[in-house]
Amino acid sequence: MLKLLPVFRLVALLEGVSYLLLLFIATPIKYFYEDPQYVKLLGMPHGILFMAYVVFAVLISNDMKWPTRTLWIVIIASVIPFGTFYIDKKYLTKASRA
């Protein structure tokens, strides 16, 4: 399953970027300019990336020997802006070098 680590890192990056775009670009445009097209455009890809992030986190947690607490931190970080970038730096970069 550690072969999935590079894929998980990519999904984490894309999920984090899509979340920031949705939160700080698309949502303000929707409410300030009454134009929901960017939320519609980014919403589905972000949702798919979010689900993929959670699935990959669960799949690699055993191979990474994460305690349950760490798995929950990794999952909860996906709903915090910039959280996936922190997870990549703290938990995933070290493992990909090993």
Side-chain angles (χ1 to χ4, degrees), residues 1-2 4 52-64 66 71:
M1 287 285 187
L2 279 183
L4 294 177
Y53 178 89
V54 171
V55 168
F56 275 109
V58 170
L59 286 176
I60 70 165
S61 65
N62 285 337
D63 291 336
M64 301 277 289
W66 287 341
L71 175 60

Side-chain angles (χ1 to χ4, degrees), residues 8-62:
F8 180 51
R9 290 186 70 203
L10 178 62
V11 168
L13 172 70
L14 294 174
E15 196 276 337
V17 169
S18 73
Y19 188 39
L20 294 176
L21 289 173
L22 193 59
L23 199 59
F24 295 116
I25 305 292
T27 301
I29 288 172
K30 177 181 178 179
Y31 289 106
F32 292 133
Y33 298 104
E34 297 178 8
D35 185 2
Q37 88 179 42
Y38 296 104
V39 171
K40 290 178 183 177
L41 182 71
L42 290 169
M44 172 97 46
H46 170 69
I48 292 168
L49 287 164
F50 172 77
M51 290 186 296
Y53 178 89
V54 171
V55 168
F56 275 109
V58 170
L59 286 176
I60 70 165
S61 65
N62 285 337

